[in-house]
C-alpha cells in the first residue's frame, strides 16, 4: 500500500477490495475459518490500554500500543509481517486530539464524537455514520438508523485484565478493522470528553 493511499476513502467503499489497513492481519490468522467473528485481545495492560499488546485469534502478538511518557501520543507498532516495527496508527492526545491511519489524519471529535443527546457515540468511517451503544455488557457498533444487530458489527468488552474486540465478517468487509482497533484505545483511555 502506498503512503498516498487514503484508507478513509476505502472505508466508504466495501467493494473496493482494499482493506485500508496498514496493519492487516495475515490471512491465515483471520480466525474466520471456524466462526463468523474475529476476536482480538488487548493484553499485558501496563498499567492500562495506553500501553499494551494486541494479540490475534491465535494469541500471537500483532500490535504493541505504546504511549509516550508525557502522555501526548499513543502509537500502534506492527509486530507481524513485512511491516514489522512500522507504525500502523497514531493517536495524538494534544488538543485538538487526532488519529492518524496510514498517513491520513482526522480529528477525533468528528470521527468519534458524542451524539447530540450525549447518550451514545457516533463514529464516522468513510462518510458512513455508525453508533456505539452500551449493551450486552460492552460497547456495540451498528449502522446509524439500523435496528440493533445480533451480533453487532463490532463489540468491545472487558473481562479481568484483558479487553476483547470482536468484529463480524461484515464489519471487516465494511473496512471497520482499523477504526475499531483505535476506538478500543480511545474508549478505554478515559480521555474522550
Amino acid at each position: 500500500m502506498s503512503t498516498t493511499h487514503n484508507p478513509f476513502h476505502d472505508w466508504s467503499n466495501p467493494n473496493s477490495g482494499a482493506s485500508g489497513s496498514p496493519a492487516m492481519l495475515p490471512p491465515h490468522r483471520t480466525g474466520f475459518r471456524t466462526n463468523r467473528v474475529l476476536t482480538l485481545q488487548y493484553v499485558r495492560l501496563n498499567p492500562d490500554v495506553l500501553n499494551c499488546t494486541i494479540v490475534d485469534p491465535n494469541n500471537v502478538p500483532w500490535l504493541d500500543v505504546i504511549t509516550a511518557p508525557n502522555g501526548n501520543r499513543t502509537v500502534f507498532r506492527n509486530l507481524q509481517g513485512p511491516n514489522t516495527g512500522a507504525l500502523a496508527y497514531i493517536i495524538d492526545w494534544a488538543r485538538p486530539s487526532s488519529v492518524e491511519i496510514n498517513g491520513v489524519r482526522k480529528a477525533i471529535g468528528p470521527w468519534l464524537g458524542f451524539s447530540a443527546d450525549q447518550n451514545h457515540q457516533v463514529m464516522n468511517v468513510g462518510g458512513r455514520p455508525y453508533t456505539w451503544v452500551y449493551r450486552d455488557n460492552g460497547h456495540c457498533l451498528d449502522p446509524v438508523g439500523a435496528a440493533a444487530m445480533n451480533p453487532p458489527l463490532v463489540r468491545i468488552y472487558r473481562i479481568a485484565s484483558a479487553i476483547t474486540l470482536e468484529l463480524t465478517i461484515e464489519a471487516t468487509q465494511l473496512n471497520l478493522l482499523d477504526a475499531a482497533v483505535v476506538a478500543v484505545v480511545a474508549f478505554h483511555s478515559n480521555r474522550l470528553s
Side-chain angles (χ1 to χ4, degrees):
M1 214 176 274
S2 77
T3 57
T4 59
H5 177 75
N6 181 341
F8 296 102
H9 172 73
D10 283 339
W11 289 351
S12 67
N13 182 1
N15 298 319
S16 71
S19 71
S21 178
M24 180 54 80
L25 287 170
H28 67 283
R29 293 199 173 120
T30 61
F32 288 129
R33 289 187 181 167
T34 59
N35 60 45
R36 300 191 52 83
V37 175
L38 169 65
T39 301
L40 302 173
Q41 288 196 309
Y42 295 63
V43 297
R44 299 181 200 125
L45 308 177
N46 184 23
D48 55 29
V49 74
L50 292 172
N51 289 286
C52 69
T53 299
I54 303 172
V55 296
D56 71 13
N58 296 316
N59 208 32
V60 175
W62 176 50
L63 294 169
D64 265 341
V65 179
I66 305 161
T67 299
N70 65 9
N72 287 339
R73 175 178 269 201
T74 300
V75 298
F76 297 68
R77 186 173 309 278
N78 278 308
L79 298 175
Q80 293 184 15
N83 293 328
T84 299
L87 297 183
Y89 319 110
I90 299 170
I91 301 174
D92 280 319
W93 297 106
R95 298 287 179 215
S97 299
S98 64
V99 60
E100 183 176 322
I101 298 173
N102 204 22
V104 177
R105 185 176 296 269
K106 290 189 100 159
I108 287 183
W111 173 70
L112 187 62
F114 285 96
S115 63
D117 63 8
Q118 300 287 306
N119 287 330
H120 59 274
Q121 288 180 276
V122 176
M123 182 172 73
N124 289 292
V125 177
R128 291 185 65 186
Y130 297 87
T131 185
W132 287 102
V133 176
Y134 191 84
R135 70 172 194 269
D136 302 327
N137 297 316
H139 289 91
C140 297
L141 183 74
D142 295 310
V144 166
M149 299 172 73
N150 189 17
L153 289 171
V154 178
R155 182 170 172 243
I156 303 168
Y157 60 94
R158 184 174 185 149
I159 296 177
S161 61
I163 299 168
T164 301
L165 170 64
E166 297 176 338
L167 296 100
T168 62
I169 290 175
E170 183 180 2
T172 61
Q173 291 169 342
L174 292 168
N175 297 313
L176 293 171
L177 174 64
D178 299 298
V181 167
V182 174
V184 170
V185 173
F187 281 136
H188 286 272
S189 70
N190 295 319
R191 294 184 177 205
L192 296 178
S193 53

